[in-house]
Amino acid sequence: MTGEVVDRASLFRATMEAAQVGIFVMQDGVFRYVNPCLVDMLGFSSEEMVDRMGPFDVVVPQQHEAVRRELAARLAGEPGVPYELQLVRKDGTVFPVTVQGSPSELDGRPAAVGTVVDISRQKAAERKIRELADFDALTGLPNRRLLHDRINQMIAVAERCQGNSALLFIDLDHFKRVNDSLGHSVGDDLLCAVAQRFQTVVRKVDTLARLGGDEFIVLLPEISTPAAADVARRLLEVSAQPFSVAGHALTVTPSVGIALYPQDGKDIDTLLKNADTAMYKAKELGRNSFQFYAAEMNTATLERLMMESSLRRALTDDEFELHYQPLIDLPSGEIVGVEALIRWRHKDLGLIMPDRFIPVAEDTGMINPIGDWVLCEACRQAQAWIDEGLSLQTMAVNVAPVQFRQAGFVEVVAGALGASGLAAGRLELELTERTVMHDAEVTLGTLSALHRMGVCLALDDFGTGYSSLAYLKRFPVGKLKIDRSFIRDLEIDADDRAIASTIVSMGRNLRLKVLAEGVESAEQLELLRTMNCQMAQGYHFSRPVDAARMTELLRDQPFLYGIESWKKPESGSMA
Ligand code: C2E
Ligand code: MG
Ligand code: MG
């Protein structure tokens, strides 16, 4: 009888010790027995564990609550089902297990027995399978399947935020030749090296995926058109250096097609197809280049990109110049001032007008150094004319919104005046209504500081923006320049006449000078005179001219009233 008991106990023990799963007995919150397999798994000795440690000592803290629930259920006599836990080894490493406990009894009191199975390998295998399903085995990049998920995600987000996104289709030119001449393993290594370089170009939120073969996709959520072009250009740039693979220096030239969401497609298939089409266009137009799917984008963006990069150079290379247009005092016909208008003499593109490059300069922040240069050059030229003995009351300089709001603008103006010696009262800054009305309180501070210095202020393109009359009264503005859109049809459009004459009389009431921009005909001029408009500017007198020609105009004063009307007998109303 006793022998049988001993035999059973040792059999039981031998079974526990040989088991390939962890086995424990637990009571009062501590382990009462742990088998060697569990000891191996956790790295604690059984002496360290038995009667000293409980489940909370080996389970990651985030799962303590779950363990508490399971223990309570076992105590209540509920049989357990296997569940997953993360255990912590003695050395601190964490590994996944499944645990199954069941209610039991030890020394006549409730206890729990349980098994613990290490599932690290199984988890690793699952991960591997997921990777195989989602990632390209060669490069480790997301594959076509994951790319589809990401595109769907991108479209969902873009729909919600009304954002723009871009999809770049990349194909390596003549890649087949590498495979054919050097073998597939060199080809594979080259693809990995290319993928690595491409990866350096994209942002964290972007997806670089391999479609298969030598085709890659870059997904750019939330991106502007020029920025997408910039990414394409950088993809070409990073490929420019030869790749060293298996002792060969290999050159790769990608061709990139860009489709934009939403305008070039609102679903995956359309976006991929159109980016592909654009990529073929890039190949046709000479490989190693990129193309947008929509043709207009190519010229617009390329011009802009070209401008951005050469704008930076333009200042140091002295490519800017100022032209001047006379400002005429209408009662007398005298040139009392000039407006400085910037031009960019580009070495390849010739003379570029400000409407084309000022917006780019504003976006890139280049407007500040350019604007500073304009101020200095205009003040220098004005003082040079005065030193020559020519009479010039006003040098008008246009100021861009960004430039006006930059910290230290007042100091820049003071610096330009100081360096040239020009009296502050002869400098007139032209601001648009939009510039002035934006953040009116801040604006008022800057305007007042300039006003105290003695600098004159004019509202340019007046009538096109929204001006509050209340502010007009508060702002120390001295001149309104009626926008040329109201002058163009002055002879035929009664509304324009009403607007122009309203601005003239309003200006008079507020004691502001009023100048009409864009005066092209004698008829327009005559109408403005009958409205008592004080000043005018426009092709009727002179187009903007270079400094040398302006010197002659200032000296000759060809528009003096009386003389001019004799000179122009065809201008009926004045003859
Ligand atoms: P704006 O200040 O309104 O300048 C007047 C524009 O009207 C000039 O164009 C001038 O050539 C044009 N214009 C003058 N008279 C006539 C006319 O009779 N008929 C027609 N159709 N046009 C006339 P421009 O030189 O191309 O300058 C365009 C704009 O670029 C300027 O408009 C101004 O806003 C901006 N700009 C020019 N120079 C600068 C500068 O140095 N800095 C900044 N921030 N902007 C500038
Ligand atoms: Mg102007
Ligand atoms: Mg204007």
Side-chain angles (χ1 to χ4, degrees):
M1 182 73 190
T2 325
E4 198 185 314
V5 170
V6 169
D7 278 346
R8 277 175 156 237
S10 53
L11 179 65
F12 173 75
R13 180 166 298 272
T15 311
M16 293 295 158
E17 310 213 323
Q20 290 304 300
V21 295
I23 297 172
F24 62 86
V25 178
M26 210 172 59
Q27 192 176 45
D28 303 331
V30 290
F31 295 112
R32 283 297 163 79
Y33 171 78
V34 286
N35 77 338
C37 177
L38 189 55
V39 164
D40 281 352
M41 237 185 253
L42 289 166
F44 294 100
S45 67
S46 78
E47 290 72 36
E48 281 174 301
M49 291 184 73
V50 170
D51 293 337
R52 296 205 175 137
M53 290 170 62
F56 298 110
D57 298 313
V58 293
V59 171
V60 294
Q62 306 85 286
Q63 292 182 323
H64 284 186
E65 194 45 47
V67 171
R68 228 169 260 129
R69 274 198 307 272
E70 290 290 332
L71 289 177
R74 282 319 76 73
L75 270 179
E78 284 177 36
V81 290
Y83 64 105
E84 280 188 34
L85 281 180
Q86 300 283 328
L87 299 190
V88 192
R89 292 193 186 90
K90 188 176 184 181
D91 65 7
T93 51
V94 173
F95 65 107
V97 296
T98 48
V99 176
Q100 180 163 26
S102 39
S104 181
E105 235 178 56
L106 182 67
D107 301 331
R109 289 192 301 111
V113 297
T115 56
V116 180
V117 179
D118 183 344
I119 52 169
S120 312
R121 282 193 191 185
Q122 184 190 331
K123 286 278 166 193
E126 280 173 14
R127 208 174 317 122
K128 187 79 203 160
I129 290 168
R130 253 202 323 277
E131 262 175 35
L132 287 177
D134 280 347
F135 293 91
D136 168 45
L138 176 63
T139 58
L141 295 178
N143 63 13
R144 188 186 285 268
R145 213 200 61 73
L146 185 54
L147 175 69
H148 270 241
D149 284 356
R150 299 265 173 96
I151 297 181
N152 278 332
Q153 220 173 353
M154 176 192 91
I155 290 177
V157 172
E159 261 170 9
R160 214 173 44 240
C161 318
Q162 311 260 309
N164 290 305
S165 305
L167 188 146
L168 275 52
F169 199 117
I170 312 167
D171 185 279
L172 307 182
D173 302 330
H174 307 304
F175 184 75
K176 207 171 130 12
R177 282 190 207 156
V178 176
N179 271 343
D180 291 349
S181 57
L182 299 170
H184 282 268
S185 94
V186 173
D188 284 355
D189 289 353
L190 179 58
L191 284 175
C192 290
V194 170
Q196 262 173 25
R197 282 207 199 157
F198 283 172
Q199 196 84 63
T200 63
V201 172
V202 300
R203 307 166 297 179
K204 272 219 171 62
V205 294
D206 303 332
T207 300
L208 169 65
R210 179 167 172 237
L211 268 197
D214 58 352
E215 291 175 346
F216 296 86
I217 297 285
V218 178
L219 197 63
L220 304 167
E222 293 294 302
I223 198 156
S224 68
T225 310
D230 213 39
V231 172
R233 200 163 38 102
R234 303 235 336 268
L235 288 169
L236 303 181
E237 271 169 20
V238 295
S239 317
Q241 287 293 319
F243 292 84
S244 126
V245 175
H248 306 276
L250 302 175
T251 348
V252 164
T253 58
S255 292
V256 184
I258 308 174
L260 300 171
Y261 172 91
Q263 59 259 52
D264 298 338
K266 289 190 172 160
D267 59 82
I268 301 179
D269 293 336
T270 319
L271 281 170
L272 278 172
K273 188 181 88 214
N274 290 346
D276 190 25
T277 308
M279 185 273 292
Y280 271 101
K281 210 160 58 179
K283 280 202 194 287
E284 275 167 24
L285 290 171
R287 296 155 188 266
N288 196 20
S289 66
F290 69 89
Q291 281 289 307
F292 280 94
Y293 176 67
E296 323 80 77
M297 290 293 176
N298 293 314
T299 39
T301 321
L302 282 178
E303 176 179 291
R304 202 183 162 89
L305 280 173
M306 190 279 314
M307 270 194 195
E308 272 183 34
S309 58
S310 47
L311 254 184
R312 287 174 217 289
R313 239 199 21 244
L315 255 186
T316 42
D317 287 5
D318 248 352
E319 290 183 348
F320 292 117
E321 53 190 67
L322 290 184
H323 284 197
Y324 301 91
Q325 189 175 34
L327 310 179
I328 314 293
D329 172 69
L330 285 189
S332 63
E334 187 188 353
I335 302 174
V336 288
V338 302
E339 176 174 1
L341 295 159
I342 192 169
R343 272 93 183 94
W344 178 10
R345 200 168 288 282
H346 191 281
K347 62 176 176 0
D348 303 321
L349 302 177
L351 199 67
I352 308 179
M353 301 305 270
D355 286 336
R356 268 176 70 201
F357 67 87
I358 292 285
V360 182
E362 286 186 316
D363 285 354
T364 54
M366 280 299 291
I367 191 68
N368 289 340
I370 294 175
D372 294 353
W373 176 84
V374 172
L375 266 169
C376 290
E377 174 57 17
C379 290
R380 185 202 62 73
Q381 180 62 66
Q383 189 57 41
W385 279 323
I386 290 164
D387 290 344
E388 272 181 57
L390 298 166
S391 111
L392 182 78
Q393 290 169 26
T394 302
M395 169 57 79
V397 174
N398 293 285
V399 177
V402 191
Q403 191 192 352
F404 179 73
R405 285 196 288 274
Q406 77 176 304
F409 177 65
V410 176
E411 287 73 17
V412 169
V413 174
L417 290 171
S420 60
L422 186 70
R426 296 193 198 257
L427 177 63
E428 183 168 74
L429 300 181
E430 294 195 1
L431 302 156
T432 64
E433 289 167 276
R434 266 176 285 272
T435 312
V436 175
M437 292 302 152
H438 177 101
D439 206 352
E441 291 308 316
V442 177
T443 304
L444 188 56
T446 311
L447 288 180
S448 307
L450 291 166
H451 182 67
R452 276 194 304 275
M453 276 166 57
V455 173
C456 305
L457 300 162
L459 278 189
D460 204 354
D461 305 344
F462 189 78
T464 56
Y466 159 82
S467 297
S468 146
L469 274 182
Y471 274 119
L472 262 189
K473 247 176 74 184
R474 279 177 67 198
F475 286 148
V477 168
K479 188 184 283 174
L480 302 179
K481 298 185 76 173
I482 308 176
D483 189 69
R484 67 168 182 268
S485 60
F486 302 110
I487 307 299
R488 195 181 46 223
D489 300 325
L490 209 56
E491 308 102 302
I492 46 173
D493 191 323
D495 289 342
D496 285 350
R497 272 201 302 279
I499 290 170
S501 78
T502 305
I503 297 176
V504 170
S505 54
M506 184 182 80
R508 187 168 317 109
N509 290 336
L510 292 168
R511 279 182 291 281
L512 302 175
K513 278 215 163 116
V514 177
L515 178 148
E517 291 183 323
V519 177
E520 294 188 358
S521 72
E523 290 75 16
Q524 290 165 349
L525 179 61
E526 194 47 37
L527 280 169
L528 289 163
R529 274 192 167 131
T530 54
M531 292 174 194
N532 273 321
C533 180
Q534 292 115 310
M535 296 182 74
Q537 164 183 11
Y539 295 170
H540 174 68
F541 302 102
S542 166
R543 291 183 176 257
V545 294
D546 63 18
R549 174 77 187 120
M550 194 65 224
T551 309
E552 292 170 12
L553 289 176
L554 282 170
R555 196 179 47 224
D556 301 347
Q557 290 291 349
F559 315 119
L560 283 178
Y561 192 55
I563 301 176
E564 188 224 19
S565 56
W566 291 122
K567 268 198 201 159
K568 287 187 182 273
E570 76 276 16
S571 50
S573 53
M574 286 166 66

